[in-house]
């Protein structure tokens, strides 16, 4: 897919994002590897959210919540860079490229939403929210 055909995202046009994508491409990091790494971020964020259900000390809750935020941001950055690296590296689409572009997003999102639902299980309707995710 050519860059002109892609959905416009303002963060792709920033200098820092182009620099990072260029360096990742120059280092030979495969877009599919970046997509797979996004699942680790989603899983970490979901686990941190779930841990909030059993964490009572305020300082630890803050630390765990910051971990959830960091995991979500890492997942979003991976989602940004996988396509940029594919274009920056001049790679031809792989037979499994579409799968690697979408499946990790679904896995990551499910981990985050289920973790957030578990965190809310002590609230009225929280358990249903978690299972609904």
């Amino acid at each position: 897919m050519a860059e002109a055909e892609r959905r416009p995202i303002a963060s792709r046009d920033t200098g820092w994002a182009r620099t990072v994508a260029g360096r990742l491409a120059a280092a030979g990091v495969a877009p599919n590897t970046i997509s797979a790494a996004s699942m680790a971020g989603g899983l970490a964020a979901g686990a941190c959210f779930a841990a909030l259900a059993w964490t009572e000390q305020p300082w630890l809750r803050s630390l765990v919540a910051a971990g959830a935020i960091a995991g979500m941001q890492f997942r979003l950055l991976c989602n940004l860079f996988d396509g940029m690296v594919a274009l920056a590296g001049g790679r031809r689409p792989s037979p499994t490229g579409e799968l690697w572009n979408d499946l990790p997003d679904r896995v990551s999102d499910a981990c985050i939403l289920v973790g957030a639902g578990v965190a809310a299980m002590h609230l009225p309707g929280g358990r249903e929210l978690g299972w609904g995710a």
Side-chain angles (χ1 to χ4, degrees), residues 20-31:
V20 171
R23 288 184 181 169
L24 288 168
V29 178

Side-chain angles (χ1 to χ4, degrees), residues 70-115:
M72 288 188 296
Q73 289 304 312
F74 179 76
R75 178 253 182 278
L76 291 172
L77 287 171
C78 288
N79 193 37
L80 172 69
F81 290 130
D82 62 356
M84 290 181 73
V85 168
L87 290 174
R91 295 177 180 259
R92 290 181 295 166
S94 73
T96 59
E98 283 298 317
L99 176 70
W100 279 102
N101 190 42
D102 291 330
L103 183 63
D105 295 345
R106 301 304 148 271
V107 171
S108 299
D109 292 346
C111 289
I112 292 167
L113 292 170
V114 170

Side-chain angles (χ1 to χ4, degrees), residues 45-69:
C48 286
F49 273 130
L52 286 171
W54 295 281
T55 306
E56 295 187 18
Q57 294 89 1
W59 68 271
L60 189 54
R61 286 183 65 80
S62 297
L63 188 63
V64 171
I69 292 167

Side-chain angles (χ1 to χ4, degrees), residues 5-31:
E5 298 173 12
R6 299 177 77 198
R7 176 174 45 105
I9 297 176
S11 56
R12 276 194 209 122
D13 296 329
T14 61
W16 69 267
R18 290 188 187 276
T19 299
V20 171
R23 288 184 181 169
L24 288 168
V29 178

